Amino acid sequence: MNAAETKLEARRRANTELGLLVLALVVCLVAYALVGLAREPKLPAGMAGYGGVLAVLAVGTHLLTRRIAPGADPLLFPLAYVLNGLGLVMIRRIDYALAASDTSELAPSQTVWTMVGVGLLITTLLVIRDYESLDRYRYSIGIGAIVLLLMPLLPVIGANINGANLWIRVAGFSIQPGEFAKIGLAVFFASYLAENRQLLTVATNRVGPVMVPPARAFGPVLAVWVLSLAVLVFERDLGLSLLLFGLFICMLYVATSRIAYVIGGVSLFALGGFMAYQLFGHVRDRIGIWLDLWNSDAFGAGQLQQSLFALGTGGVAGVGLGQGHPDFIPIVSTDFIFSAFGEEVGLLGTTGLLLCYLLFIGRGYRIALRCRQEFGQLLAMGLVTLYALQVFIIVGGVTRLIPLTGLTLPFVSYGGSSLLANYVLVGLLIRVSATELGTRGRPLRRRRAAAREDEADDAGKAQA
């Protein structure tokens, strides 16, 4: 593709993104109007402000992305935008439902978090002009991620909310540092696996009839296993523990194509889970609720029961936006917001929501497959796997497919930490996708290799 064709393709993608953003804005405004009309026979008073904020965010981000990341994937931001917009609509709906029994003003603060999140996406694109620069700081990023992960265990600033030690309180704000730590770990895993792929792939030792890689290759697997168990035991969070270990095993498999790592990783996690089940009551409660929900009186059983009642009430078409009872579901704005959608828009509506997630995941894997740099491939694959695992774990939990965990639904659930981290994730994926058309200079790794070759040539000529 020559320069003119590249420019034309970049413009076509940008126009596609703009068209999709307009469509997403219309969908969000119609949903907002339906929620308001279900409460009063007139359009909601805040509709102009809500639509204005969303329109400014969409147009502003599109224009900046068009300039600083030309040729980027045209679907990533519109999909994140429509999920975020629908999440804001449901949070406003929950505010209405809770207004009779409680003072609930979650939607205004979530709107502020949305503006900050979009700002963070733009900042990510402005600061990280070449995603391979992250490769240079992999150990700093990895250590920083582990520090963030363990911060909730510190005295004074660490906070226990709903039985999990995942929060820190700073200057009156509550932050969940694990949301940012998982992105840092994805960057570190991508860099480490790109550097050590050969060592992890080649089998040099024999164990019985099976050839396996050298023993030191299994060190990172054991390290991540211990880290995920530490999260499970000390922070009491099954979801984050499962997310971290699942992320590493998936990336390890993609990097090496060795199914032995998957079997070994799943076996290690099952062993750790069994030990935790025997030793810790909160793990036994989670499994007990999952296996025998209707006869369980453990903490959390009532939440899951109400979730299933809401999904059953919604049926195929739902009871209508603004017509359900999301206030009957505990922790509905964060952990169980998918169930609130299930009641009001039914199976059809939640299928549409899940299709948005599937499209995002599919585009992410497409970016990974088309990326020509090894680090970029693994980085995109790791980020989108992180996203996919989180969606699967929370939707599987509220529908009782797997044991319930405390994760949030990306872009839809209430919460600043999750929203900000997911916008950073989108920013990194957009940056990787922008390299597909070759609209930036040579990657850092190639520049270094070219520089080393030039130095070697110069040295050879000098000796000659």
Side-chain angles (χ1 to χ4, degrees):
M1 189 177 291
N2 58 39
E5 291 173 335
T6 299
K7 194 173 179 181
L8 189 63
E9 175 63 15
R11 187 181 303 165
R12 188 189 66 79
R13 291 186 183 191
N15 291 337
T16 302
E17 181 184 86
L18 183 60
L20 289 173
L21 284 172
V22 171
L23 178 63
L25 179 62
V26 171
V27 169
C28 294
L29 288 178
V30 169
Y32 193 87
L34 288 175
V35 166
L37 289 171
R39 189 166 179 252
E40 295 177 337
K42 61 180 182 180
L43 290 176
M47 188 165 174
Y50 170 76
V53 168
L54 286 186
V56 169
L57 289 177
V59 174
T61 307
H62 168 75
L63 292 176
L64 282 169
T65 305
R66 196 169 183 144
R67 181 171 182 79
I68 60 180
D73 188 280
L75 267 69
L76 291 179
F77 180 61
L79 286 168
Y81 178 83
V82 73
L83 288 168
N84 193 178
L86 291 175
L88 278 170
V89 169
M90 183 51 71
I91 290 168
R92 170 53 77 191
R93 166 71 189 100
I94 293 168
D95 279 346
Y96 288 155
L98 295 177
S101 58
D102 193 8
T103 301
S104 178
E105 287 294 335
L106 299 177
S109 60
Q110 186 70 357
T111 304
V112 173
W113 285 122
T114 297
M115 291 189 284
V116 176
V118 172
L120 208 52
L121 182 153
I122 295 168
T123 304
T124 302
L125 291 173
L126 286 172
V127 172
I128 304 174
R129 294 300 185 104
D130 180 356
Y131 69 84
E132 287 208 49
S133 61
L134 297 172
D135 199 12
R136 272 184 295 174
Y137 304 105
R138 64 176 168 192
Y139 289 110
S140 301
I141 293 171
I143 292 170
I146 292 174
V147 170
L148 284 173
L149 201 59
L150 300 179
M151 280 181 75
L153 300 178
L154 294 175
V156 182
I157 62 171
N160 184 309
I161 299 179
N162 295 326
N165 300 312
L166 296 174
W167 299 82
I168 59 171
R169 291 188 193 280
V170 179
F173 289 95
S174 295
I175 303 168
Q176 199 171 350
E179 292 287 344
F180 301 95
K182 62 191 183 186
I183 294 179
L185 287 174
V187 174
F188 173 75
F189 291 158
S191 178
Y192 175 83
L193 292 172
E195 187 77 21
N196 296 279
R197 176 178 255 173
Q198 192 66 25
L199 170 69
L200 296 165
T201 305
V202 178
T204 56
N205 297 343
R206 179 179 292 279
V207 178
V210 182
M211 294 296 292
V212 297
R216 66 178 185 278
F218 294 95
V221 182
L222 292 174
V224 177
W225 179 63
V226 171
L227 182 65
S228 61
L229 282 184
V231 171
L232 175 61
V233 172
F234 297 111
E235 299 190 0
R236 301 165 66 90
D237 189 3
L238 178 62
L240 185 57
S241 171
L242 182 60
L243 195 64
L244 295 180
F245 198 69
L247 168 68
F248 182 68
I249 293 301
C250 289
M251 294 182 71
L252 187 58
Y253 175 70
V254 170
T256 64
S257 301
R258 294 186 70 87
I259 193 68
Y261 284 121
V262 178
I263 296 172
V266 172
S267 302
L268 277 175
F269 193 82
L271 175 63
F274 177 75
M275 290 165 55
Y277 179 83
Q278 296 294 328
L279 294 174
F280 304 106
H282 66 280
V283 178
R284 281 197 297 277
D285 285 345
R286 293 280 183 176
I287 302 298
I289 291 170
W290 178 54
L291 294 175
D292 193 8
L293 173 65
W294 305 107
N295 293 317
S296 175
D297 57 357
F299 176 76
Q303 300 167 359
L304 190 53
Q305 289 167 359
Q306 290 296 338
S307 167
L308 296 182
F309 279 134
L311 292 171
T313 302
V316 175
V319 297
L321 272 172
Q323 305 287 340
H325 292 281
D327 49 320
F328 288 1
I329 310 171
I331 325 179
V332 64
S333 61
T334 53
D335 297 9
F336 289 94
I337 198 165
F338 185 79
S339 305
F341 272 106
E343 182 183 9
E344 300 209 339
V345 298
L347 178 64
L348 294 176
T350 50
T351 300
L353 203 62
L354 290 177
L355 283 176
C356 288
Y357 283 113
L358 285 175
L359 270 175
F360 187 98
I361 293 164
R363 297 299 292 192
Y365 284 127
R366 180 181 179 275
I367 291 167
L369 288 172
R370 293 197 167 201
C371 185
R372 292 189 286 270
Q373 287 76 47
E374 200 170 31
F375 173 64
Q377 288 175 351
L378 288 169
L379 178 61
M381 200 283 300
L383 291 173
V384 76
T385 298
L386 193 62
Y387 187 87
L389 282 174
Q390 185 158 347
V391 173
F392 171 75
I393 290 172
I394 187 61
V395 174
V398 301
T399 55
R400 205 185 164 202
L401 179 65
I402 60 174
L404 180 65
T405 66
L407 294 178
T408 54
L409 194 59
F411 293 112
V412 173
S413 291
Y414 174 78
S417 306
S418 173
L419 195 60
L420 300 187
N422 280 309
Y423 270 117
V424 172
L425 184 151
V426 173
L428 290 174
L429 279 176
I430 287 176
R431 178 54 70 200
V432 176
S433 73
T435 65
E436 186 181 315
L437 294 181
T439 50
R440 69 178 174 94
R442 285 190 298 176
L444 182 66
R445 199 187 292 273
R446 286 188 185 178
R447 290 202 300 270
R448 286 178 178 171
R452 285 196 294 269
E453 289 176 3
D454 291 341
E455 288 175 3
D457 289 343
D458 292 342
K461 290 176 182 175
Q463 288 178 358

